[in-house]
Amino acid sequence: MAVTAVLTWQLAVNSALTWKQFGWSFLWSSTWDPVREVYGALPFIYGTAVSSGLALLLAVPIGVGCAIFLVELAPKRVAEICAFIIELLAAVPSVILGLMGIFVLVPVVRAVEPGLTAGLGWLPLFQGEPYGVGMLTAGLILSLMVLPYITVISREVLLAVPRSLKEAMLALGATRWETVMKVSLPYARPGIAGAVFLALGRALGETMAVTMVIGNTPQIKASLLAPGYSMASVIANELAEASSDEHLHSLIAIGLVLLGISLVVNAAARAMIGLLERRA
Amino acid sequence: MLTEKPPQHAAAPGTVVPERATLEVRGLAAGYGGPLVLRSVSLQILERQVTAIIGPSGCGKSTLIRCLNRMHEVLPGATLEGEILLDGRDVMGLDPVLLRRQVGMVFQRPNPFPSMSIFDNVAAGLVLNGVRDRALVAEKVEGSLRAAALWDEVKDKLKAPGVGLSGGQQQRLCIARALAVEPRALLLDEPCSALDPIATGRIEELLLEIKKTLTLCIVTHNMQQAARVSERTAFMLMGELVEVGPTDTIFTKPSDKKTEDYITGRFG
Ligand SMILES: Nc1ncnc2c1ncn2[C@@H]1O[C@H](COP(=O)(O)OP(=O)(O)O)[C@@H](O)[C@H]1O
Ligand SMILES: [Mg+2]
């Protein structure tokens, strides 16, 4: 708590120039031009939000689905082996995932993008040049990164659903699937929500893997195929070579915003988990 | 004893109605992957009577009744051999989901669904059955709660969570929940073991009421309870069914020495 306060204070002091010059409009101005000394954080906030949102959109259903499979359907041995592999995935350093993104994911995405454009090009989401790097790739790599969290935590909370409740539902003549939907998921919901928030926190702050595949272009495009930029990435990329105090302060201001968002997400996760524990 | 002798006594003196077995077990052996927990158990559970199963803890009472609605098989490693008949039909040939709608179950610890209101708990089985008509659901919920002697206590708070009730009320809620799908038979596994004597008394009263329309099988380690509610009693010991017969015979002149030892307290 105290550490967080000191950190916040430090970030605030070291970004004072930016707040003085641009005020709140820093948050919704979309021009980032170190040459003309015009700074707006919106492209980065947008990039972080979209790539993280995309990651959750993919990882939550898959992760919860995997957890249900592991707990309810898979034979015990298979479940244990799968859970082990998934936990290993969580231990892969993000720079390695980023490399995998560059060598595997980017070519694949580049290959399927023309298909997406042809099939779904009427949606603004899937228009433009197939670069391979961009929001979609960043979202994919992030989803891979948070998938283990969601699966592992969801599995734990599903395992904690009392057998007596599942048996009560089965004894009423429910199928296994109905039991999952009506008993297990409602019981596990706060825990799963906590897992989602933890995953979101992880995705928001992820730097390395995203930097390697997002395209690092400060722009706001509706298309998921277009390159973008994220808050963490711009800080990592530009901090060392910031040309002026204004530039430096603006990067730190982005850091402050990122910290604020992360704290809120974290608090939400804790609240969810607390709710679960109180009930159990 | 592989096949049970036909029951010698009628349900109540003077009745000539032939006794039908709602549920029948023949040569049942069951286990959890290790040594057999039940060996060559044969038993009839007669229509519209209460059959009590007594015996020391760990003798296989729960396992036996969980075989009857095929809840045994949901446990990993569970094995089962022998015949189980519902109205003369082998339950192994039935869809377990449909079987469990016919043969309901009440568990040792009250287990209302924590995410559901009192109303929704009772309606849960109806919803599974695809009953959509809200008026019909409401009517059946009320009927079940009345049958479970709970209606008067909860009619003003049907929207309140089921887990907010007292232990005895929760158990009656679970009975109402099981009754709502109108089963042929209801299995109760030590339904009062977590309850105080007053709550126990209320449940015993309601069992005597609902047995008029359905077949009951109650596991209990409380012999007075068996004596109070059941027509027939089966005594089990170490995975075997020692003796089954009219409750008063079992308690006054059992034919097996082991039964006598148990009921006179020289055992377990
Ligand atoms: N899930 C299980 N896995 C393995 N063994 C079990 C399980 N449930 C019960 N048993 C064993 O089966 C035997 C009979 O248990 P149970 O049917 O619960 O007896 P009762 O209900 O008469 O106390 C006991 O020895 C118990 O240890
Ligand atoms: Mg038992």
Side-chain angles (χ1 to χ4, degrees), chain A residues 202-217:
Chain A
R202 177 80 211 269
L204 291 173
E206 174 51 35
T207 312
M208 193 39 98
V210 172
T211 309
M212 290 164 87
V213 299
I214 199 169
N216 298 335
T217 313

Side-chain angles (χ1 to χ4, degrees), chain A residues 76 163-176 178 182-183 186-187 279, chain B residues 66 71 74-75 97 100-101 105 107 111-116 124-125 127-128 177-178:
Chain A
K76 210 168 167 216
R163 215 191 35 226
S164 67
L165 293 179
K166 293 198 258 181
E167 291 199 336
M169 191 49 97
L170 286 170
L172 277 181
T175 61
R176 273 174 171 239
E178 286 166 333
K182 287 176 187 289
V183 173
Y187 189 89
R279 207 184 51 186
Chain B
R66 289 171 59 92
M71 284 300 290
V74 308
L75 294 174
V97 165
R100 291 176 197 143
R101 289 178 192 179
M105 185 163 234
F107 297 81
N111 53 1
F113 302 122
S115 59
M116 296 186 195
V127 174
L128 290 174
R177 179 174 72 186

Side-chain angles (χ1 to χ4, degrees), chain B residues 144-253:
Chain B
S144 309
L145 284 169
R146 282 189 190 283
L150 189 59
W151 175 253
D152 289 333
E153 289 154 69
V154 301
K155 62 172 187 269
D156 300 322
K157 50 173 180 177
L158 292 172
K159 292 267 171 288
V163 284
L165 298 172
S166 74
Q169 289 174 323
Q170 286 190 23
Q171 195 62 302
R172 277 179 281 145
L173 180 64
C174 293
I175 293 174
R177 179 174 72 186
L179 292 177
V181 292
E182 294 172 4
R184 284 276 288 120
L186 191 59
L187 312 170
L188 304 108
D189 189 354
E190 304 196 23
C192 304
S193 64
L195 306 183
D196 63 59
I198 294 172
T200 300
R202 301 208 57 170
I203 292 202
E204 289 176 3
E205 270 169 42
L206 88 89
L207 293 182
L208 293 176
E209 199 54 42
I210 60 178
K211 77 165 185 191
K212 291 174 187 162
T213 54
L214 80 172
T215 305
L216 297 177
C217 176
I218 180 171
V219 168
T220 175
H221 59 218
N222 177 337
M223 283 181 279
Q224 287 75 34
Q225 180 169 64
R228 284 192 298 262
V229 300
S230 72
E231 274 87 17
R232 299 203 330 141
T233 295
F235 171 60
M236 291 182 67
L237 192 60
M238 289 162 63
E240 290 182 36
L241 195 122
V242 175
E243 181 171 3
V244 54
T247 297
D248 45 5
T249 314
I250 294 283
F251 281 104
T252 52
K253 36 185 186 311

Side-chain angles (χ1 to χ4, degrees), chain A residues 86-105:
Chain A
I86 291 168
E87 279 171 41
L88 271 188
L89 190 60
V92 175
S94 63
V95 67
I96 305 293
L97 270 181
L99 279 179
M100 202 205 80
I102 289 177
F103 290 120
V104 181
L105 213 51

